[in-house]
Amino acid sequence: MPPPPHLAVAQSNYQELSLYSHIPAARHPQILRVISGITGMLPETTLEHHLVYKPKRPRQPGQNAELYYLQLISIVPDEKKQEEEGEGEGGRGAGKNNKEEGGKGYDVKTQKWRTRLEDIPEVTRKPVTSRNVLGAGFGEGDALALVDSLGYMLQTAYFMTVSTLIHNNIIITLSQVLLPPPAPASADPVPGQQYGNPYPTSGLQPLDPARSWVLKAAVRVQSHQDVESINTGVNELKGFKELMRGMCDLEVAERLALDTRVR
Amino acid sequence: MVHLLSDHLGKRHQPLYIGKWTLEHRLLRETSSPALPGNNTGAPSARSQGAMGGGGGGNYMQCLDLSHHNPHKLIVSTPASIVTVDREFEMLVRSKLTALWSHRQTLRGEGMAYEVDDFKVRIANILQGEVWKGVLVEVEYAPCGLLSAAEGVIRGFVEGLGWPAGRFTFRGRGGGRGAEGEEWSVLDTGRQYCEVLRMGWGG
């Protein structure tokens, strides 16, 4: 399965220009239809698993370098496909685990993880949020064990359903943070429980009780020094904001709300 | 030294020259942890001196770039884990993990690769800046996927070359060893390189 555009391998490090809007649950279907019309495409929807890591050690007194939260992100395989593969393979890899673990079918260790570190947005007078994003995809080996041995500990885990649409250079995402139902207090802790298990996906519940969504329109530019591309990106976003006027207000995000430095 | 070894190889076998190869290896160390309360007993100063000198324990990270393996990925190893990851990972470490990790040493290797029947032999000088640190040889035996079966074959081939005795590393230490099992993976090769190129850092 090719990764969706917003996780594309080719662009690991980039400057992201973005605008955001809060979409109430009731408006979500209509907004999605409108953007589908504008972009001439159907949304591609994926379920992402996000693990947020924090350095185990606090910042040392007198140290200038900042500490940052680090994320690991992977795509959760479609539950039905996962079951079919589990049955089809009959004894190998994930399929075997499926049966041994009573059909849970999700193995956090064999997921294809990418790491992502989003810098705090620039202080800027641009009419968009601008931040540096650094990332890298893991190949072989245990990415979770590596991140642990780099001095990071799991802070929080959540899932996110993301619908992606593309309009020229703009990557438009509608996303909602989801959590698995809390484990019964009496149950024995399952290994890997802290990471969360997305299956059955029908059991995932929005973090926000009002079930609202976040609309994000983003343009990626190779470098913040590439003024021409930055200006093109800013103008495209301004154009899209105009296009959406009356449907939703796309705004610059509050800079400190996107702060990823450990305090 | 590289020429001496390739000369030996040439006289014993008629190897096919298959090209040049390079490696780059960077070692990083975790920035020293702040003194923990209750950790002031014993002889902490002597210990930290030892760590500064290059030996001793402590957490390290190795980033290894091998021209003949997956060109888009680095091998990254710590005492507890080893992975392959996109090259951009190093950029992330260098720009945003500097509070935790500092760069200590870069080694570069440049050499020649030969094919002898089912074996591939790669010989390279290892340099730290302009300083020669030694010669590294990788012998690859492709027909066999199982580590246990390949070790004897490779060892026999190396011993048959009549080279000056070197340090033979088959299963590298560190990198959360052997978690992938008996079947060869690039991580096994990575572990071997990392053990040799650590040069005493991290014990």
Side-chain angles (χ1 to χ4, degrees):
Chain A
M1 183 178 69
H6 65 291
L7 281 175
V9 179
Q11 304 168 310
S12 281
N13 298 332
Y14 50 87
Q15 190 74 14
E16 184 189 72
L17 309 170
S18 54
L19 289 172
Y20 299 81
S21 183
H22 177 262
I23 307 294
R27 301 267 290 159
H28 175 253
Q30 185 195 10
I31 294 276
L32 203 53
R33 267 201 309 279
V34 168
I35 299 175
S36 262
I38 292 172
T39 57
M41 68 180 281
L42 290 171
E44 188 176 344
T45 301
T46 49
L47 182 62
E48 296 176 358
H49 195 174
H50 287 241
L51 305 176
V52 180
Y53 283 85
K54 181 184 178 173
K56 289 174 192 166
R57 284 203 276 116
R59 195 160 151 218
Q60 287 168 261
Q63 192 177 36
N64 286 328
E66 296 281 355
L67 291 169
Y68 293 86
Y69 289 95
L70 185 70
Q71 279 200 64
L72 288 183
I73 303 171
S74 71
I75 306 288
V76 176
D78 185 75
E79 201 172 358
K80 278 194 190 123
K81 266 191 205 150
Q82 188 77 351
E83 274 171 18
E84 284 163 15
E85 275 175 27
E87 282 162 18
E89 287 183 17
R92 231 170 58 86
K96 191 177 169 189
N97 289 342
N98 269 349
K99 290 192 176 148
E100 283 177 357
E101 288 170 17
K104 290 212 176 67
Y106 185 76
D107 184 358
V108 76
K109 290 274 179 196
T110 56
Q111 282 284 97
K112 279 283 169 214
W113 294 101
R114 289 185 62 74
T115 167
R116 185 152 82 193
L117 196 154
E118 300 173 334
D119 205 347
I120 180 170
E122 282 176 8
V123 180
T124 172
R125 289 159 74 184
K126 292 187 192 92
V128 300
T129 297
S130 176
R131 69 175 1 177
N132 186 218
V133 178
L134 296 140
F138 287 97
E140 293 183 65
D142 185 344
L144 303 179
L146 185 90
V147 171
D148 177 74
S149 71
L150 293 184
Y152 283 83
M153 60 184 178
L154 185 69
Q155 170 89 358
T156 178
Y158 60 89
F159 298 90
M160 192 150 96
T161 180
V162 186
S163 300
T164 306
L165 300 107
I166 308 290
H167 182 53
N168 299 324
N169 293 307
I170 306 177
I171 301 166
I172 304 154
T173 53
L174 269 153
S175 59
Q176 190 176 55
V177 172
L178 303 171
L179 296 174
S186 60
D188 290 331
V190 181
Q193 188 176 300
Q194 70 274 27
Y195 300 114
N197 186 336
Y199 298 154
T201 47
S202 55
L204 295 173
Q205 288 298 316
L207 172 67
D208 175 11
R211 300 175 166 263
S212 62
W213 294 73
V214 173
L215 173 63
K216 174 176 168 184
V219 173
R220 292 172 182 184
V221 178
Q222 203 159 28
S223 158
H224 71 285
Q225 289 164 331
D226 181 354
V227 177
E228 197 183 327
S229 302
I230 295 270
N231 288 341
T232 308
V234 168
N235 285 334
E236 274 200 41
L237 287 173
K238 272 170 35 187
F240 184 64
K241 178 186 163 100
E242 275 308 307
L243 217 50
M244 295 301 289
R245 190 175 294 279
M247 296 296 305
C248 65
D249 286 325
L250 281 158
E251 302 290 351
V252 175
E254 157 67 61
R255 180 170 170 264
L256 290 178
L258 298 181
D259 196 354
T260 49
R261 298 170 299 180
V262 176
R263 285 286 172 250
Chain B
M1 190 71 171
V2 168
H3 291 286
L4 178 78
L5 296 183
S6 25
D7 186 52
H8 266 259
L9 185 69
K11 289 191 165 103
R12 189 133 324 212
H13 304 279
Q14 277 72 51
L16 183 67
Y17 173 70
I18 53 173
K20 291 190 172 172
W21 72 287
T22 58
L23 71 83
E24 194 158 320
H25 172 266
R26 282 169 292 275
L27 187 135
L28 296 92
R29 279 184 73 88
E30 195 162 5
T31 54
S32 58
S33 319
L36 296 169
N39 206 19
N40 289 332
T41 50
S45 56
R47 281 203 158 197
S48 60
Q49 288 281 321
M52 295 293 280
N59 203 4
Y60 56 83
M61 168 171 25
Q62 295 173 267
C63 297
L64 174 67
D65 194 343
L66 294 174
S67 62
H68 56 289
H69 283 295
N70 189 342
H72 306 299
K73 298 259 195 238
L74 289 174
I75 291 168
V76 174
S77 174
T78 64
S81 177
I82 185 166
V83 298
T84 63
V85 62
D86 291 339
R87 287 165 178 282
E88 288 79 3
F89 181 76
E90 216 173 341
M91 170 85 145
L92 191 157
V93 172
R94 280 170 177 240
S95 60
K96 294 292 173 209
L97 267 55
T98 51
L100 296 174
W101 291 93
S102 64
H103 174 262
R104 289 302 169 93
Q105 179 176 294
T106 299
L107 297 173
R108 286 190 179 82
E110 248 186 65
M112 291 171 283
Y114 299 92
E115 211 168 83
V116 179
D117 301 327
D118 289 333
F119 296 92
K120 283 200 180 87
V121 181
R122 297 186 180 90
I123 310 172
N125 277 312
I126 302 296
L127 298 166
Q128 182 181 3
E130 301 290 310
V131 182
W132 183 77
K133 304 293 277 186
V135 168
L136 181 144
V137 178
E138 181 194 340
V139 178
E140 177 184 341
Y141 179 62
C144 182
L146 286 181
L147 293 175
S148 51
E151 180 166 5
V153 179
I154 292 176
R155 198 182 276 275
F157 176 80
V158 173
E159 283 166 3
L161 289 173
W163 279 352
R167 190 170 126 222
F168 186 90
T169 304
F170 190 75
R171 284 167 203 248
R173 291 186 297 126
R177 60 184 303 192
E180 307 83 44
E182 264 299 297
E183 195 120 353
W184 177 86
S185 91
V186 70
L187 301 180
D188 293 302
T189 299
R191 245 182 230 112
Q192 289 170 292
Y193 271 96
C194 285
E195 177 175 350
V196 171
L197 296 171
R198 213 152 47 230
M199 299 210 160
W201 285 84

